[in-house]
Amino acid sequence: MKLVHVLSEALRAMLANPLRTMLTMLGIIIGIASVVLMLAVGDGIKAFIDKQLSVLGSNLVIVQADSRKAVGARLRTGTVQTITLDDAEAINRLPSVKGAAPMLTTYSQISYGNDNTNTQVQGTTPTSFVIRNLRLAKGIGLSEVDVASATRVAVLGKKVAEQLFYKNDPIGQTIRIDNQSFQVIGVLDNEGQSFDSGDIGEVVMVPISTARVTLVRTATPRSVQYVVVQSKTTEGLNDMVADIKDLMRDRHRIRADDVDDFRVVNFGEFAKTGEAIATGLSIALGFIGAVSLVVGGIGIMNIMLVSVTERTREIGIRMAIGARPSDVLWQFLIEAVAICVVSGIIGVALSAGVASAVSSTGKFEMMIGLKAVVIAVVFSCVVGVFFGFYPARRASKLQPVECLRYE
Amino acid sequence: MNVSIASSRAEGALVEITDVRKSYFSNRVETPVLHGINLHMQRGDFMAVMGQSGSGKSTLMNILGCLDTPTSGTYRLAGVDVEKQSRAELATLRNRTIGFVFQSFNLLKRMTILDNVALPLIYAGVSRKASRDRAQTQLDKVGLGELANRQPNQLSGGQQQRVAIARALVADPPLILADEPTGNLDTRTSNDIMALLNELNRERGQSIILVTHEPDIAAHAKRLVRLKDGLVLYDGPATEGLRQLKTDDSIATIAEAAL
């Protein structure tokens, strides 16, 4: 018997009782939709994390002063400024380090014309732009010259620029930071959560030297609040952290049995946590999908058994005119698989609808890839074969004489 | 396959049944139904099988149709030893050798007349297109070519039985097995159906076995086999057999009246 014929027989059988077929399909539809959504959620979370990482910059650590006892009272981390520009330069020279950017930050009142806002100002070096993947929407970034001569220039975060300048071009305009004039030379393109401040769109970046003389009071002329460091490779991250620790202990003359006066915060760990959450969610959804597929499969088996009983006479007639047991087996097996595959396709369509609805809220991007569709179709075939085999085999084992006598 | 070898031996008897016995078992209790049947049939013959219910008529019919196998004895159909065949081989043997016509027509619902007639060819592995072409030709022959796209339930009983005959003939099998083909039809339609079977036998030399309990219907056959209590009571020309049957019946009626 040709496949085309078996398929058209399956379709005919499915259409013979449309309501029953639909109800049977429902379990598989839900199962397949959950499986596809699981994959979409997993992919979406991965993409979300990647996007966040691209804002953060990958393979980054922060070196900051640790809390220190001052006259017996332990102070907040970073309050005591023991890290210096020289430390940053020394870290930058480590072979495992791609770049190290010293930072001085403060919250300041920023104004332009009648408008003003209060946000974080970061004093830093050009290295910062490189290691944190900062891109410019307009203008230019900070340069070594700006740092060397403490020029009063500023690069605005996207949202700050929108707030102060609306649709006007901010480049070349003069803004006031804590009542001191700065010329805007660039606007950042990045958005999203940054690890050391709030939204990267809401910061203003100025040369670290300028920040020191105008905005941030420091303990010594070379103190910095923290240093952002990027390793050359992902694999080398942990080695780099060890290198930094050794270097810093050496530079700060910490004796072997004394504790560090600095901390190294590793942001790779955050990404790992995010991925673990994504995996957990995927497993949960996958489990729901699997349970639904099994329940749906049992429904199919049940209906196929009913169908075999109902069509006993038909089976008898077919056998009398020459259907071999294998022909009958195939007929019922293909019918079960066809129900599952059609359900799978509907399930994919349903999950695509859900995904686009979720994505249209703009909060979370869900993507249904070809991989998900292929997996869904393969899964539904497997369910069809697994749960369709027993009823089909039962049909093929029927005796023609008894079938023809069946009313 | 041995079926093809068999069909090349066209001179041999079509049906050779030797000492066939059949018993049914339920809870290990043996209920014998056929007590040793011997039957030979040449190609081109038209044989009616008669018998009252319980005579083993249906059982013999099932064995003849390769739907059931004998408990003992041998059955050679077109040179093939039926009892040695597997289930799949029996299906193929039925497909190529026997065309069934049933009392209740047994057409498949929700399928067009054309697809019903084409089905034996589909199971024989003929392509869809060729099957439909041949089915259409066969439908034209029984005069229902224009109804090809109807469903069985849109047809009258007589038309449905013609479709069933077309289905039985479509794969060109050497034997037609008709089990009470007129049982569900009125007298006039029954005569039409019998005329069609007669024509097939006369003009194409089609071998036909007809199972019936009506003497009027059996009268269309050349040869009559009467069964009683699982044995052959009469095997000979139909006219003579029916005359004997009439006598037997009147004796029975008189005996009944006497009681």
Side-chain angles (χ1 to χ4, degrees):
Chain A
M1 236 183 14
K2 305 277 185 320
L3 188 65
V4 195
H5 184 258
V6 185
L7 280 175
S8 72
E9 292 270 2
L11 198 68
R12 198 194 331 260
M14 282 166 74
L15 292 176
N17 214 329
L19 179 66
R20 191 166 89 182
T21 308
M22 261 315 292
L23 291 173
T24 311
M25 282 163 57
L26 215 50
I28 303 293
I29 292 174
I30 293 168
I32 291 293
S34 324
V35 169
V36 173
L37 282 176
M38 161 199 90
L39 294 166
V41 166
D43 288 354
I45 288 177
K46 281 212 180 74
F48 183 71
I49 289 170
D50 285 350
K51 195 175 152 197
Q52 288 296 308
L53 277 179
S54 74
V55 175
L56 294 171
S58 49
N59 306 329
L60 289 182
V61 298
I62 283 182
V63 182
Q64 61 180 187
D66 202 350
S67 64
R68 226 204 195 175
K69 276 183 186 168
V71 207
R74 196 170 278 276
L75 303 175
R76 190 160 68 89
T77 300
T79 320
V80 183
Q81 298 175 349
T82 57
I83 314 263
T84 65
L85 282 176
D86 306 303
D87 288 333
E89 277 161 23
I91 291 170
N92 204 12
R93 282 194 296 270
L94 284 171
S96 52
V97 170
K98 189 179 174 194
M103 307 287 288
L104 276 178
T105 67
T106 185
Y107 281 84
S108 299
Q109 206 69 27
I110 319 245
S111 58
Y112 173 76
N114 296 334
D115 247 322
N116 72 95
T117 180
N118 188 305
T119 192
Q120 192 183 46
V121 180
Q122 296 187 339
T124 185
T125 63
T127 313
S128 205
F129 285 76
V130 180
I131 64 179
R132 296 171 66 179
N133 289 338
L134 297 182
R135 294 180 308 275
L136 290 155
K138 280 180 192 155
I140 54 169
L142 301 175
S143 70
E144 293 295 347
V145 177
D146 292 326
V147 176
S149 47
T151 51
R152 297 200 176 189
V153 292
V155 174
L156 305 183
K158 206 176 186 177
K159 288 180 184 166
V160 179
E162 273 167 22
Q163 207 167 354
L164 293 178
F165 293 92
Y166 189 51
K167 281 182 176 170
N168 301 318
D169 187 5
I171 307 296
Q173 301 296 322
T174 302
I175 57 168
R176 297 184 78 79
I177 304 176
D178 274 1
N179 236 359
Q180 300 180 78
S181 306
F182 281 79
Q183 194 182 27
V184 178
I185 57 166
V187 177
L188 292 177
D189 192 30
N190 302 57
E191 270 183 295
Q193 207 62 24
S194 150
F195 56 89
D196 56 345
S197 63
D199 191 333
I200 196 79
E202 290 177 353
V203 299
V204 173
M205 305 186 98
V206 299
I208 188 166
S209 47
T210 317
R212 191 188 309 283
V213 296
T214 59
L215 305 170
V216 190
R217 196 163 286 198
T218 55
T220 73
R222 297 194 69 80
S223 301
V224 298
Q225 288 164 341
Y226 59 93
V227 183
V228 182
V229 192
Q230 186 181 36
S231 74
K232 279 187 177 146
T233 60
T234 310
E235 301 76 42
L237 188 66
N238 289 333
D239 288 344
M240 183 193 77
V241 171
D243 289 348
I244 291 171
K245 283 184 174 167
D246 286 348
L247 177 76
M248 290 295 287
R249 285 180 73 88
D250 195 34
R251 288 184 57 84
H252 290 192
R253 298 194 174 79
I254 297 165
R255 278 180 305 221
D257 47 351
D258 276 1
V259 293
D260 295 347
D261 68 341
F262 60 91
R263 280 204 317 179
V264 179
V265 184
N266 187 347
F267 285 90
E269 302 290 333
F270 288 174
K272 272 186 200 155
T273 311
E275 269 165 25
I277 292 168
T279 311
L281 244 162
S282 289
I283 289 171
L285 270 166
F287 184 72
I288 295 168
V291 168
S292 185
L293 278 179
V294 169
V295 173
I298 292 168
I300 287 199
M301 191 159 169
N302 194 10
I303 285 299
M304 291 309 295
L305 285 173
V306 170
S307 177
V308 168
T309 309
E310 275 183 356
R311 284 150 72 187
T312 301
R313 197 173 175 88
E314 177 192 326
I315 295 165
I317 298 168
R318 285 175 183 277
M319 284 180 161
I321 64 176
R324 286 168 304 226
S326 61
D327 291 327
V328 175
L329 181 95
W330 276 111
Q331 186 189 335
F332 281 90
L333 193 59
I334 293 293
E335 189 178 322
V337 172
I339 289 174
C340 287
V341 170
V342 172
S343 311
I345 292 166
I346 296 174
V348 169
L350 185 72
S351 54
V354 172
S356 72
V358 169
S359 298
S360 70
T361 62
K363 294 215 172 71
F364 185 69
E365 189 79 20
M366 282 178 91
M367 295 165 295
I368 291 180
L370 185 68
K371 188 181 80 177
V373 175
V374 170
I375 287 176
V377 171
V378 170
F379 256 55
S380 49
C381 280
V382 168
V383 170
V385 171
F386 188 82
F387 289 100
F389 187 76
Y390 175 72
R393 191 170 164 74
R394 192 147 133 168
S396 75
K397 293 220 160 184
L398 290 170
Q399 294 297 324
V401 184
E402 278 145 38
C403 292
L404 285 170
R405 219 180 282 143
Y406 188 90
E407 288 298 332
Chain B
M1 184 124 200
N2 40 9
V3 175
S4 57
I5 302 163
S7 48
S8 66
R9 300 195 324 191
E11 312 81 39
L14 184 59
V15 173
E16 297 167 68
I17 283 185
T18 315
D19 195 30
V20 158
R21 291 162 194 272
K22 179 74 183 178
S23 298
Y24 291 104
F25 295 88
S26 78
N27 298 329
R28 291 186 196 157
V29 179
E30 187 181 352
T31 314
V33 178
L34 298 181
H35 298 277
I37 304 274
N38 289 292
L39 212 56
H40 284 241
M41 182 182 169
Q42 298 301 316
R43 282 165 200 269
D45 207 350
F46 189 170
M47 179 170 91
V49 177
M50 289 190 78
Q52 287 166 335
S53 53
S55 63
K57 186 178 54 167
S58 300
T59 306
L60 179 62
M61 164 78 194
N62 287 336
I63 289 172
L64 280 168
C66 305
L67 296 165
D68 209 347
T69 44
T71 312
S72 70
T74 58
Y75 173 26
R76 284 170 74 81
L77 173 64
V80 179
D81 289 321
V82 174
E83 66 278 359
K84 288 178 187 157
Q85 307 292 306
S86 70
R87 288 192 66 197
E89 285 167 342
L90 281 178
T92 309
L93 185 62
R94 286 194 293 270
N95 184 249
R96 301 193 184 174
T97 320
I98 306 169
F100 286 94
V101 180
F102 301 96
Q103 178 174 5
S104 47
F105 323 134
N106 279 348
L107 299 177
L108 294 183
K109 285 175 272 179
R110 298 190 296 270
M111 228 191 213
T112 62
I113 298 305
L114 187 67
D115 284 342
N116 260 291
V117 176
L119 204 54
L121 294 174
I122 296 283
Y123 284 121
V126 178
S127 80
R128 211 168 158 77
K129 172 85 174 60
S131 304
R132 285 193 163 164
D133 288 349
R134 281 172 67 180
Q136 183 64 54
T137 313
Q138 204 59 56
L139 274 175
D140 290 340
K141 279 186 190 166
V142 297
L144 294 174
E146 283 164 18
L147 304 179
N149 290 317
R150 299 256 186 112
Q151 306 265 318
N153 57 10
Q154 294 171 312
L155 266 57
S156 72
Q159 286 173 326
Q160 288 193 47
Q161 198 59 297
R162 279 173 181 271
V163 173
I165 291 170
R167 181 178 67 184
L169 290 170
V170 76
D172 208 14
L175 177 65
I176 293 281
L177 204 52
D179 184 8
E180 304 270 12
T182 58
N184 286 358
L185 301 174
D186 59 48
T187 317
R188 185 199 267 170
T189 325
S190 297
N191 286 335
D192 288 349
I193 294 295
M194 289 319 298
L196 178 61
L197 289 178
N198 249 323
E199 188 186 313
L200 286 169
N201 177 251
R202 238 184 303 114
E203 289 174 12
R204 292 180 43 177
Q206 179 70 54
S207 318
I208 300 173
I209 297 178
L210 170 75
V211 177
T212 184
H213 64 275
E214 294 173 72
D216 295 350
I217 298 300
H220 289 270
K222 293 178 186 166
R223 175 177 163 194
L224 179 69
V225 171
R226 281 178 64 202
L227 293 183
K228 191 174 184 185
D229 300 331
L231 285 167
V232 176
L233 185 69
Y234 173 87
D235 184 358
T239 38
E240 169 61 17
L242 286 169
R243 201 184 53 74
Q244 280 189 22
L245 177 72
K246 222 172 187 175
T247 325
D248 290 355
D249 278 357
S250 41
I251 292 167
T253 317
I254 293 162
E256 222 166 88
L259 285 169

